[in-house]
Amino acid sequence: MTLNRLARLIRKTGRVAEPAPEPPPNPPLAAGTPRALNGSAQVRHVDCGSCNGCETEVGAAFGPVYDAERYGARLVSSPRHADVLLVTGVVTQNMREPLRRTVEATPRPRVVVAVGDCAVDGGLFREGYGVAGVVDEVVGVDLNVPGCPPEPDAIVAALRQVTGR
């Protein structure tokens, strides 16, 4: 197929993707948290001691089906470039200080999102000997995404709330 023919076919066919769904309702954020980060958010994922169920769902949220990037959320590899921290799992003794340092390295305004039951309330691992506590007991949390593991839709909805898209 020649390039001109392909261009004509694209113009003739038009847009084939469905429009984005309506933004989710805005549940309350913690006091002082920005409602929206100007339409985009750089996201750093931090695993503090989970079973990897939430990591699978975070991966799916940024994959081609749920595509959190179309709503302005993008994964970054450094907390210094991040606006949002997605924290999964209970905070283990060994991850308490690295989590604090990661939050301190993230520039303000920042949003900390606890993803999954373990991060929110301890889940099955709450009473474990190596557990320091839930994320909110170690660093401040602005938004919770409950579920064991949470659906990718719920993770994307939380990121949409933060980005305002």
Side-chain angles (χ1 to χ4, degrees):
M1 183 178 285
T2 66
L3 188 58
N4 288 335
R5 186 173 169 204
L6 179 61
R8 281 194 304 268
L9 180 63
I10 291 171
R11 269 188 302 233
K12 178 183 170 191
T13 304
R15 184 183 185 113
V16 292
E18 65 270 357
E22 290 297 316
N26 291 330
L29 290 172
T33 303
R35 175 57 64 187
L37 294 172
N38 296 326
S40 70
Q42 311 307 308
V43 180
R44 172 72 173 137
H45 173 235
V46 181
D47 177 5
C48 288
S50 73
C51 67
N52 285 336
C54 293
E55 282 67 32
T56 303
E57 302 303 316
V58 168
F62 283 92
V65 174
Y66 295 96
D67 196 15
E69 229 175 285
R70 71 178 158 164
Y71 302 114
R74 185 172 68 101
L75 286 173
V76 295
S77 58
S78 171
R80 298 193 189 284
H81 301 147
D83 304 311
V84 178
L85 293 176
L86 283 183
V87 184
T88 56
V90 292
V91 181
T92 61
Q93 298 290 348
N94 291 338
M95 281 301 294
R96 181 183 332 162
E97 192 57 32
L99 176 60
R100 283 188 186 134
R101 289 183 184 172
T102 301
V103 170
E104 289 170 10
T106 306
R108 292 183 185 269
R110 63 176 168 247
V111 177
V112 178
V113 181
V115 177
D117 285 346
C118 293
V120 173
D121 62 17
L124 297 173
F125 305 106
R126 177 76 169 141
E127 303 300 323
Y129 71 92
V131 174
V134 297
V135 178
D136 201 24
E137 294 171 358
V138 178
V139 296
V141 171
D142 301 305
L143 189 59
N144 291 317
V145 182
C148 185
E151 296 284 328
D153 281 338
I155 297 168
V156 172
L159 292 172
R160 287 185 73 186
Q161 178 187 347
V162 170
T163 62
R165 293 173 72 183

